[in-house]
Amino acid sequence: MPGPHPRPPSVRTPPARTARRPRPAAATFGVLRRHRATLAGATVRVVGAAGATGLLVTAAVFALAWPVFTRMRNRRAWYQYVEDPYLHESTDLVLVALCTLPLFLLLFGIGSATLQSVCSRMVTEETDGERPEAAETGGLSVVAGAGPVPVRERERIRPVLLVYALRGLIVWPLPIAVAVVADSLTGYHLDTPLPLERGSWPYVLVSASPAVALGIAVLLRLALSLAPAAAADGLGPWAAVRRSWSLTLTRTGAPRVLALAVPLAALAAGVLRLAVQVALPLRPAVRGLLERATGNFFAAYYVGILAPVVVGVLVTAALVLPVACTAFAVLHGRLRARVRRR
């Protein structure tokens, strides 16, 4: 009687391994490396145009404020004539700076929006390049086998710029208003008695309120960090703000945004500090040149103060902004993909 037929060994098909997506940091530097020529060209154009425009705006502001510098020079000459020390009052210059600050914020916003649009387009091209099917995402029309076709950059820049303005209106009015009110109640004002008694509990609480308001503003700013990337992805300003809020305030999104924003802020602060310190020799050179050309010490003095700061801001923008915009675009894509899978 024949024995039992031996069973053939079972052949188990190993499960298909899905390719692991690189970490956000690796993906960010991968995009920067593969598209370095495009991003470098866009950065040079944007930072160069912003720097040239900023210099023209600064020159126009100094020309409009020249009567203030002339009055300072005349008062200094008078005090030297009567042999009294002269301490110039900079209140008028502070008012001029506050009035012209929106122009520089607009200039910075346009440059940032342009770079964010370019970086988001690079990230979207790589993401959509992995999909074989036809799709249309982030302002890019993707057809199988044809590759992504970018739309006009101007259509991307406008919503991103509006997002910057909307985010600023959401984040900064609270700390500014609290700081003004706290200064009126606890600040030192000449010949004006303090409304609150120094050392009392109301005085301590009001004095600490600007720090609390600033902390709330920082949290709001972190919650809306992904809004520019969402706007560059094709959403409207308010929809981009809502998406950033919904993606960030999750168990996965909050730590990732914090882990990205803190190193980028430290990097920006470090680069700015280093660039300003390296550019400090410009201060006496610019001040001496402008004083010989105009004969006004105060105008030359303030231009000398601004020169290293301007160089530091431009260097920081050129080195940090492409990295930051690309990193937030990558993180926005990852968090959005997680939400879609759920």
Side-chain angles (χ1 to χ4, degrees):
M1 182 176 179
H5 185 72
R7 291 184 303 175
S10 60
V11 179
R12 297 181 60 185
T13 304
R17 295 183 178 180
T18 58
R20 296 184 60 183
R21 302 179 69 180
R23 293 181 177 274
T28 299
F29 287 105
V31 173
L32 293 173
R33 183 181 68 254
R34 287 186 289 271
H35 299 277
R36 55 185 178 272
T38 302
L39 294 177
T43 302
V44 170
R45 290 193 299 270
V46 170
V47 175
T53 307
L55 288 178
L56 291 177
V57 173
T58 304
V61 170
F62 271 81
L64 293 175
W66 200 258
V68 178
F69 297 115
T70 303
R71 185 166 60 252
M72 288 182 178
R73 183 192 61 186
N74 295 338
R75 288 178 64 85
R76 181 191 183 195
W78 168 254
Y79 276 88
Q80 286 179 347
Y81 175 75
V82 298
E83 298 182 352
D84 281 344
Y86 171 61
L87 298 177
H88 70 277
E89 178 64 36
S90 58
T91 305
D92 294 337
L93 292 180
V94 172
L95 293 177
V96 171
L98 290 177
C99 291
T100 57
L101 182 61
L103 295 176
F104 293 98
L105 291 178
L106 176 62
L107 183 62
F108 181 77
I110 293 174
S112 300
T114 305
L115 283 180
Q116 181 67 68
S117 302
V118 175
C119 295
S120 294
R121 178 163 61 86
M122 298 297 102
V123 174
T124 306
E125 284 181 1
E126 294 207 350
T127 303
D128 290 339
E130 300 173 358
R131 304 175 185 173
E133 70 274 6
E136 185 174 344
T137 56
L140 289 171
S141 178
V142 184
V143 182
V149 181
V151 299
R152 292 180 302 175
E153 292 294 338
R154 186 176 301 175
E155 296 180 1
R156 292 173 167 268
I157 296 173
R158 189 182 301 112
V160 178
L161 185 60
L162 292 176
V163 160
Y164 283 130
L166 182 59
R167 187 173 64 181
L169 292 176
I170 295 174
V171 172
W172 296 117
L174 176 64
I176 292 175
V178 171
V180 171
V181 173
D183 180 72
S184 65
L185 295 176
T186 62
Y188 175 76
H189 301 282
L190 189 62
D191 299 331
T192 302
L194 288 176
L196 299 177
E197 183 182 356
R198 190 180 299 273
S200 62
W201 279 109
Y203 181 91
V204 174
L205 293 177
V206 173
S207 299
S209 60
V212 177
L214 183 61
I216 295 174
V218 171
L219 293 178
L220 286 174
R221 177 63 176 77
L222 288 174
L224 303 180
S225 297
L226 300 176
D233 200 41
L235 293 181
W238 187 245
V241 168
R242 291 201 307 268
R243 174 181 285 183
S244 178
W245 184 272
S246 62
L247 292 179
T248 304
L249 296 183
T250 59
R251 189 174 300 178
T252 304
R256 290 192 177 187
V257 170
L258 188 63
L260 176 61
V262 171
L264 285 176
L267 175 64
V271 172
L272 179 62
R273 175 76 175 178
L274 179 61
V276 170
Q277 290 296 320
V278 171
L280 278 181
L282 288 175
R283 181 170 294 175
V286 172
R287 183 171 56 196
L289 180 64
L290 192 60
E291 186 177 5
R292 287 193 299 269
T294 62
N296 194 314
F297 167 79
F298 292 101
Y301 173 77
Y302 284 104
V303 171
I305 290 178
L306 288 176
V309 177
V310 171
V311 173
V313 170
L314 293 178
V315 171
T316 305
L319 296 179
V320 178
L321 268 183
V323 179
C325 293
T326 305
F328 279 112
V330 170
L331 182 59
H332 169 259
R334 295 293 177 88
L335 294 178
R336 187 187 60 175
R338 288 179 64 91
V339 171
R340 285 182 174 178
R341 284 198 298 268
R342 291 178 184 177

